[in-house]
Amino acid sequence: MARRKKIYEGKAKILYEGPEPGTIVQYFKDDATAFNAEKKDVIDGKGVLNNRLSEFFMTGLNQIGVPTHFIRRLNMREQLVRSCEIIPLEVIVRNYAAGSLSKRLGIAEGTQLPRPIVEYCYKDDSLGDPLVTEEHIAAFGWASQQDMDDILSLALRVNDFMSGVMLAVGIRLIDFKIEIGRVYEGDFQRLIVADEISPDSCRLWDIETGQKLDKDVFRRDLGSLTDAYSEVARRLGVLPKSNVTKPTLIN
Ligand code: 5GP
């Protein structure tokens, strides 16, 4: 059997060369890290859940005309995606104050923001992904003004889609992070949503109880991460069949 070529291994995913040119196989690991990998653990089943959830969100985005890298899910832990050139920015959209925004500006977590706020961080683990402005992005050539206009529009469309989908199952989308990739089509380049969209990269709070259903459960030691992610998957109807409770003789 031929060994696959590993292109990149990150904290939560491995990328392998895909079966056709321009494709990549994205493998979701069970590893969880936080605080720039100072806190680490292996969470049984996390990769399976994130593979399913990212498939669900990316498929929905593709269906409403927001281009993403997602092609199809291959198996429990892997999906086929379009290869793209990742723009070295984390694009964060916030609807409610939480996390680093609350710390930075002294706004209580859970405070609704006057409008969605989009922030950019420079993707560099050794620097702890620092917050940057459009001035830095333009000056260092990480993205052009046209790219920035497209990135803002993609980020806000993802926010509207994700907020609506989550609201429908009783979950508030507090904030999220996406990554954007560049693909070339003949003489043109296009920006697409890449990486993953999952509870690893979003803050999701139950609307009724405020219970956290995202990676903060791991960051802040609030209980079982797989229980939280399974709850999100269950509400969205994307739980893998093997995780569904088997019927017994009495039900
Ligand atoms: P904060 O800046 O408050 O730490 O994070 C804002 C949002 O972006 C949260 O939903 C958080 O999960 C996500 N986020 C920020 N940085 C990263 C990162 O390096 N990896 C992942 N998976 N999500 C991130």
Side-chain angles (χ1 to χ4, degrees), residues 49-57 197 199 229 232-233 236 238:
L49 286 158
N50 280 350
N51 186 28
R52 288 282 182 151
L53 284 163
S54 202
E55 171 193 15
F56 177 81
F57 297 128
I197 302 180
Y229 287 20
V232 176
L236 294 168
V238 294

Side-chain angles (χ1 to χ4, degrees), residues 11-13 33 36 90-94 97-104 109 119 121 123 125 128-129 131 173-179 195-196 198-204 214-216 219-220:
K11 286 174 278 188
K13 294 185 293 295
T33 63
N36 209 4
E90 296 194 332
V91 180
I92 294 171
V93 184
R94 302 178 184 273
S100 70
L101 178 90
S102 289
K103 237 188 221 161
R104 209 182 317 130
E109 288 208 311
E119 295 176 343
C121 293
K123 255 172 74 71
D125 282 342
D129 300 336
L131 186 70
L173 178 66
I174 302 296
D175 58 30
F176 66 90
K177 182 262 309 185
I178 51 172
E179 294 186 18
D195 190 50
E196 70 176 287
S198 75
D200 265 9
S201 51
C202 302
R203 284 199 173 91
L204 306 168
D214 56 63
K215 200 164 141 190
D216 275 349
R219 294 187 188 103
R220 303 179 189 189

Side-chain angles (χ1 to χ4, degrees), residues 48-219:
V48 173
L49 286 158
N50 280 350
N51 186 28
R52 288 282 182 151
L53 284 163
S54 202
E55 171 193 15
F56 177 81
F57 297 128
M58 296 274 185
T59 303
L61 286 168
N62 284 339
Q63 281 168 352
I64 63 160
V66 176
T68 80
H69 72 160
F70 182 80
I71 301 171
R72 65 176 183 276
R73 187 169 56 81
L74 297 171
N75 55 48
M76 295 281 276
R77 286 183 181 275
E78 294 177 329
Q79 48 185 245
L80 188 68
V81 300
R82 259 186 99 164
S83 124
C84 59
E85 196 180 288
I86 293 286
I87 294 180
L89 296 173
E90 296 194 332
V91 180
I92 294 171
V93 184
R94 302 178 184 273
N95 299 305
Y96 293 80
S100 70
L101 178 90
S102 289
K103 237 188 221 161
R104 209 182 317 130
L105 301 180
I107 304 174
E109 288 208 311
T111 307
Q112 186 166 15
L113 300 171
R115 61 181 176 86
I117 293 177
V118 182
E119 295 176 343
Y120 305 99
C121 293
Y122 179 54
K123 255 172 74 71
D124 185 324
D125 282 342
S126 66
L127 300 174
D129 300 336
L131 186 70
V132 291
T133 67
E134 292 196 42
E135 273 289 288
H136 300 105
I137 297 168
F140 296 120
W142 296 323
S144 67
Q145 189 52 55
Q146 178 64 57
D147 289 339
M148 291 312 291
D149 293 347
D150 293 347
I151 290 172
L152 181 64
S153 150
L154 282 173
L156 293 175
R157 291 186 72 193
V158 172
N159 187 42
D160 285 347
F161 171 78
M162 292 290 296
S163 295
V165 166
M166 300 316 297
L167 195 62
V169 294
I171 294 173
R172 181 162 287 143
L173 178 66
I174 302 296
D175 58 30
F176 66 90
K177 182 262 309 185
I178 51 172
E179 294 186 18
I180 303 292
R182 220 187 278 283
V183 289
Y184 297 95
E185 288 162 1
D187 288 345
F188 297 92
Q189 66 131 30
R190 208 153 70 97
L191 299 186
I192 61 176
V193 179
D195 190 50
E196 70 176 287
I197 302 180
S198 75
D200 265 9
S201 51
C202 302
R203 284 199 173 91
L204 306 168
W205 295 3
D206 180 86
I207 287 180
E208 295 284 316
T209 63
Q211 187 193 353
K212 292 179 174 38
L213 299 169
D214 56 63
K215 200 164 141 190
D216 275 349
V217 170
F218 170 72
R219 294 187 188 103

